[in-house]
Amino acid sequence: MLEIGCGSGQSLQYFGEREASELWGMDLSENQIKKTKQHLTACSLSATLICSPMEEECGIPEDYFDFVYSIYAIGWTTDLESTFRRIASYLKKDGVFIFSWSHPIHKCVAAENDRLVFKKCYFDESWYSVSLDGSTLTLSDRKLSTYVNALAKTGFVIEQMIEQSDDEIIKSSNSDFAKKAMMLPVTFVIKARKL
C-alpha cells in the first residue's frame, strides 16, 4: 500500500496493524515524514517513506502497488493530471486508487442568518494562497468534473463516489460549518481502478 500525503502516519498504522504486506508513504513535508517514522516506530511498524511533491518522480516503483490512497491530500497538488498519471504508474493493472478531498460546493456557500448563500462561483478554479505550518501554499478549488475527467484521462475508471457530511460535527456544534454540513456534503471520496 502507498499513501500519498501520509501526514503523521495514523492511516499507515491502521493498515500495518491489519497486516498489509508492505507500507509506503509519501509527503511533501520533511517534518511530517519524521512524525510518521516516529509514530510507526512507536507502534513497532515500518514503512518506506519518501519526502517529495506528489507531482514529481521520486523513485517510487512502477506497476508495484495493489492500492494507493490519499486522505485529504490530493487537492494540494499543483498539477492534478500529472499526479493522477504518476499514481497510475505506481499501480499494478486493476490496482485501486481511493482518495478524499473537501467537497467543492461546500467552499462556495456560507451560512448567514440561518440561510445558505453562495459566496463563490462553483466554476471558479483560480489559484489562491493559504498559510499552513508557516509556509504559503497555493490551492485551487477544483470542480468535481475536473477530478473525474483527470482520472479518465490518466487511465482510471471510477467505481464509486461518495459525497458525505460529518454527523459528529453536525450533532456537536451549532457553528456555520455545522449548519452547512446539514445541507451540503463536506467531503467526497472516489474509488477508481487502473485500466
Side-chain angles (χ1 to χ4, degrees):
M1 303 196 94
L2 167 64
E3 181 175 13
I4 306 295
C6 60
S8 59
Q10 303 292 332
S11 60
L12 287 171
Q13 173 195 351
Y14 176 88
F15 289 113
E17 290 173 347
R18 281 147 187 85
E19 301 182 14
S21 62
E22 198 172 333
L23 299 173
W24 288 62
M26 169 201 277
D27 204 287
L28 175 64
S29 166
E30 187 67 48
N31 188 40
Q32 292 293 64
I33 293 291
K34 287 178 187 173
K35 286 180 182 179
T36 297
K37 185 172 183 156
Q38 291 169 348
H39 179 74
L40 293 177
T41 300
C43 298
S44 300
L45 295 167
S46 65
T48 302
L49 302 173
I50 296 174
C51 185
S52 174
M54 63 184 89
E55 304 86 358
E56 296 179 10
E57 198 288 316
C58 60
I60 292 176
E62 294 188 357
D63 300 313
Y64 189 75
F65 296 94
D66 297 307
F67 297 95
V68 175
Y69 68 97
S70 181
I71 303 169
Y72 291 107
I74 288 296
W76 292 105
T77 183
T78 57
D79 187 338
L80 190 63
E81 276 190 43
S82 291
T83 297
F84 286 169
R85 191 170 291 106
R86 192 155 302 286
I87 289 168
S89 76
Y90 302 150
L91 284 164
K92 296 175 185 175
K93 184 180 182 334
D94 294 322
V96 173
F97 173 40
I98 299 173
F99 72 95
S100 63
W101 188 247
S102 302
H103 198 290
I105 195 72
H106 198 78
K107 293 186 174 188
C108 297
V109 176
E112 289 183 0
N113 302 321
D114 294 328
R115 302 180 86 196
L116 297 182
V117 178
F118 273 88
K119 290 294 197 174
K120 178 183 178 288
C121 176
Y122 177 79
F123 301 105
D124 179 6
E125 295 184 304
S126 59
W127 292 90
Y128 59 93
S129 297
V130 293
S131 295
L132 182 68
D133 295 333
S135 297
T136 301
L137 302 171
T138 55
L139 189 64
S140 171
D141 294 327
R142 297 174 180 99
K143 302 175 295 192
L144 283 176
S145 61
T146 300
Y147 290 99
V148 168
N149 293 330
L151 285 165
K153 286 180 186 176
T154 55
F156 287 100
V157 62
I158 295 173
E159 292 188 340
Q160 189 172 8
M161 180 175 155
I162 299 168
E163 297 175 285
Q164 195 73 32
S165 282
D166 188 324
D167 289 338
E168 283 186 37
I169 291 173
I170 292 169
K171 291 176 184 174
S172 67
S173 174
N174 195 25
S175 68
D176 286 346
F177 187 86
K179 289 175 186 174
K180 288 193 322 182
M182 284 189 283
M183 299 181 74
L184 298 170
V186 173
T187 190
F188 71 96
V189 180
I190 291 179
K191 177 185 176 190
R193 186 170 302 277
K194 178 182 175 180
L195 295 174

